Amino acid sequence: MAMKEKIIEKILLLTAFSSIFILGLITFFIFKEGLPLILKIGIKAFLLGEKWIPSKGLFGVFPMIVSSFWVTFGALLLGIPLGLACAIFLSELIPPSVGLLLRPAIQLLAAIPSVIYGFWGLIVLVPLIQNHFGGPGLSILAGSLVLGFMILPTIITISEDSLKALPPTYKAGALALGATHWQTIWRVLIPAARSGVVASVILGMGRAIGETMAMIMILGNAVKMPTSFLDSARTLTTNIGIEMGYASGDHRQALFATGVVLFFIIMALNTLAISLSRRRVH
Amino acid sequence: MTESNPPLKMEVRGLHFYYGSNHALKNINIVIRDRQITALIGPSGCGKSTFLRTLNRLNELIPQTRIEGTIRLDGEDIYQPGTDVVALRQRVGMVFQRPNPFPKSIFENVAFGPRVLGVHTKSKIEEKVEQSLKAAALWPEVSDRLHLNALGLTLGQQQRLCIARVLAVQPEVILMDEPCSALDPLATLKIEELMQELKKKYTIVIVTHNMRQAARTSGWTGFFHLGELLEYATTEDIFTRPQNPQTENYVTGRYG
């Protein structure tokens, strides 16, 4: 019996480590493939270069970095108010029976494949934007709107959890002082749950920056510095997604280098989110 | 039940309270006298905390509860339709069993009440905060660190901060739900001294498990048992000449 236990333990240990091992392998691989090119053309030329013309050996990803952040920023503009409002509604205002219906629906939102979001954006949003605002329609605006919806489940679920994790005495205390329900939510509960709400936003941001498929379909993929919400754009992820199929040599390495940049951005966001959510209310 | 002076602040008649099908309070009749300390004692689960929370309608936070009977505050039934519950809770403040300061600075905790009341002038708020902290006998200990987080205070200080927070709203009645049960004896003593001071301006209703605390602090005592108010009289009578044998068993410590 003890022998059997030991074997099971070892197998579990092995599986646990194998996932970390694979993560390490991927990281190593990306860096091994990408770093040489960055060093070859110079960090500055790579990060701040504005021209991406693989046939001429020009690999500047600055427009893509800008586009990535722009699309993400737009998504947050939509996702934060909507997500926070929804989290407040779920944790404070709705009858429990409605919550039973609404919560699975929100989780379903997270389960929809991104290609479906992209398809919907392409069929519905893009023509709408083209007809009402002009431009190509395939644009940062369309991408931001779609991403805004895609990050909702992340923001809603984590914010709601952090609101629900608050001691009930905060709410009772505020109400007993003669605060209205809304004053209680806005002045006590949200500030008290602040670190969780911020973490939810940062995780949503990570999701937005990493999204590829939907963005390939609706951003228009133009490699240029975007100047307005109605411009087509190409993000870091879509750059890799579009070109990886046929790239070779330096070009291929440049795509891995794009991955290195993404890697650092996502790492920074996740670290920030973790440190914020770990911070207790002091 | 003697109903002589001092004047009545609150008057409870025929109060029944239900959690779902659980009949938690049965036909409670009691008067709360103005600027007196009224203690509510009784074994755990006897309904005294539930009763306390009917006095500021905080019980309504719990779904599926039902109430019958009347509770009058200065003659007005606080359960009649159209009662402004927010205004009621400003008049009837509450101190909880465990100190529950908000995770904000000491200053912001006390300023919370005036702010939700719509006071926005900085000097007025500062004045109110200082006044309230002084009245709660906390000012000398915190005056030089008002902007530190309130959760850094000792439990005893936190509880006095919660009292200061209630005072800043200028209530008429202060409900205290076992305010000292989380505190050490010295901190308890401070709160009890404070209550004697507050009695001059406020009507206090305190729920306590501590017989000696009830005897030391209150002028009137009610004994709750299984959702009923078995006996209500002056504290002296309850502790020296209880009429009900169950009261006698409880206050003498023979209760199982």
Side-chain angles (χ1 to χ4, degrees):
Chain A
M1 205 59 198
M3 188 67 185
K4 197 174 157 197
E5 297 269 321
K6 271 223 161 75
I7 292 172
I8 292 174
E9 264 177 38
K10 287 280 183 286
I11 289 174
L12 287 177
L13 192 74
L14 201 71
T15 21
F17 268 106
S18 68
S19 62
I20 298 173
F21 177 71
I22 289 168
L23 180 70
L25 213 61
I26 292 172
T27 312
F28 172 76
F29 187 68
I30 293 173
F31 276 76
K32 180 183 153 282
E33 294 289 314
L35 271 186
L37 182 103
I38 297 181
L39 297 175
K40 185 172 156 192
I41 66 169
I43 293 184
K44 202 179 156 208
F46 182 70
L47 286 180
L48 298 179
E50 294 200 14
K51 290 225 176 331
W52 175 273
I53 310 172
S55 57
K56 289 186 187 164
L58 288 174
F59 301 106
V61 294
F62 193 56
M64 300 164 200
I65 297 178
V66 172
S67 300
S68 277
F69 277 104
W70 197 334
V71 175
T72 304
F73 172 74
L76 293 180
L77 231 47
L78 174 71
I80 294 176
L82 213 57
L84 196 55
C86 198
I88 293 170
F89 184 67
L90 279 172
S91 67
E92 281 296 317
L93 300 171
I94 58 168
S97 53
V98 184
L100 288 179
L101 207 73
L102 212 55
R103 261 181 219 101
I106 287 164
Q107 274 148 19
L108 197 66
L109 213 55
I112 296 175
S114 64
V115 67
I116 303 292
Y117 279 100
F119 190 55
W120 177 74
L122 192 63
I123 299 299
V124 178
L125 282 180
V126 168
L128 214 64
I129 290 168
Q130 203 174 15
N131 293 339
H132 286 84
F133 300 104
L138 297 161
S139 57
I140 293 183
L141 180 59
S144 293
L145 289 174
V146 168
L147 270 185
F149 288 116
M150 291 178 77
I151 63 175
L152 275 182
T154 312
I155 295 185
I156 294 171
T157 322
I158 300 176
S159 295
E160 193 206 346
D161 284 348
S162 62
L163 280 170
K164 281 198 157 162
L166 294 176
T169 54
Y170 287 169
K171 183 179 176 181
L175 290 176
L177 283 169
T180 62
H181 195 181
W182 177 244
Q183 285 170 329
T184 302
I185 293 171
W186 194 245
R187 289 170 181 261
V188 177
L189 301 185
I190 301 232
R194 192 178 45 213
S195 61
V197 172
V198 172
S200 80
V201 168
I202 291 171
L203 286 174
M205 219 171 144
R207 166 116 212 250
I209 284 209
E211 177 49 40
T212 313
M213 194 61 222
M215 295 301 104
I216 288 180
M217 295 168 79
I218 48 183
L219 277 184
N221 303 317
V223 193
K224 60 171 174 116
M225 194 60 109
T227 53
S228 98
F229 260 115
L230 296 175
D231 279 358
S232 289
R234 177 185 289 198
T235 63
L236 291 165
T237 52
T238 54
N239 190 41
I240 303 174
I242 291 166
E243 298 190 355
M244 200 43 124
Y246 59 83
S248 63
D250 276 0
H251 186 192
R252 185 168 171 277
Q253 287 201 329
L255 295 179
F256 275 104
T258 311
V260 172
V261 177
L262 257 178
F263 185 87
F264 277 112
I265 294 174
I266 303 277
M267 280 295 271
L269 288 179
N270 274 358
T271 314
L272 199 63
I274 290 170
S275 69
L276 280 172
S277 55
R278 272 197 194 150
R279 202 174 58 185
R280 297 252 168 74
V281 227
H282 283 301
Chain B
M1 231 185 267
T2 49
E3 296 196 10
S4 56
N5 59 74
L8 307 185
K9 186 69 185 171
M10 297 187 88
E11 191 178 357
V12 180
R13 289 285 165 244
L15 183 76
H16 293 264
F17 189 82
Y18 305 83
Y19 292 107
S21 58
N22 177 15
H23 196 171
L25 292 175
K26 296 163 193 159
N27 194 25
I28 308 293
N29 294 284
I30 190 171
V31 292
I32 309 293
R33 289 174 170 79
D34 195 30
R35 287 168 220 219
Q36 294 285 310
I37 298 178
T38 305
L40 307 177
I41 59 172
S44 297
C46 65
K48 55 197 191 303
S49 285
T50 301
F51 171 69
L52 197 71
R53 284 166 179 247
T54 61
L55 297 180
N56 65 348
R57 293 183 61 169
L58 209 58
N59 263 329
E60 292 173 7
L61 296 189
I62 306 164
Q64 290 172 337
T65 56
R66 194 157 55 84
I67 193 160
E68 288 163 14
T70 58
I71 299 180
R72 292 180 191 283
L73 173 63
D74 287 339
E76 289 277 325
D77 185 0
I78 63 172
Y79 279 91
Q80 71 189 351
T83 300
D84 182 348
V85 182
V86 167
L88 166 71
R89 289 178 186 151
Q90 283 160 1
R91 292 176 70 190
V92 184
M94 184 162 204
V95 177
F96 293 80
Q97 187 169 0
R98 266 199 84 79
N100 62 341
F102 304 130
K104 298 170 180 278
S105 70
I106 296 167
F107 183 90
E108 282 305 321
N109 261 282
V110 185
F112 180 84
R115 281 194 213 279
V116 300
L117 282 174
V119 182
H120 292 298
T121 327
K122 195 164 174 258
S123 59
K124 270 192 185 157
I125 291 181
E126 280 170 355
E127 187 189 320
K128 197 83 226 169
V129 168
E130 180 173 345
Q131 229 174 46
S132 308
L133 284 169
K134 279 180 174 160
L138 190 58
W139 178 254
E141 294 159 63
V142 299
S143 62
D144 57 342
R145 46 181 176 142
L146 290 177
H147 294 280
L148 294 187
N149 195 310
L151 298 179
L153 296 173
T154 66
L155 280 179
Q157 288 170 329
Q158 286 185 19
Q159 197 60 303
R160 276 178 286 146
L161 177 67
C162 291
I163 294 175
R165 196 171 64 176
V166 169
L167 297 182
V169 187
Q170 290 180 296
E172 297 158 37
V173 182
I174 302 176
L175 311 175
M176 296 183 164
D177 189 359
E178 297 182 44
C180 302
S181 63
L183 308 185
D184 65 54
L186 265 179
T188 301
L189 191 68
K190 281 208 162 147
I191 302 267
E192 287 179 8
E193 283 168 8
L194 179 58
M195 285 168 64
Q196 296 310 318
E197 203 51 46
L198 294 177
K199 188 176 90 171
K200 294 171 189 162
K201 285 167 80 178
Y202 306 94
T203 304
I204 297 177
V205 185
I206 179 174
V207 161
T208 179
H209 265 128
N210 184 333
M211 281 322 102
R212 308 237 297 277
Q213 181 169 59
R216 275 194 302 263
T217 58
S218 66
W220 301 80
T221 296
F223 173 64
F224 277 79
H225 183 64
L226 298 176
E228 287 177 88
L229 178 64
L230 285 191
E231 190 164 357
Y232 178 57
T234 64
T235 299
E236 202 192 334
D237 281 346
I238 289 277
F239 282 93
T240 56
R241 291 176 292 276
Q243 304 296 308
N244 187 306
Q246 302 215 53
T247 313
E248 186 174 4
N249 285 343
Y250 188 72
V251 299
T252 52
R254 266 174 299 184
Y255 184 88

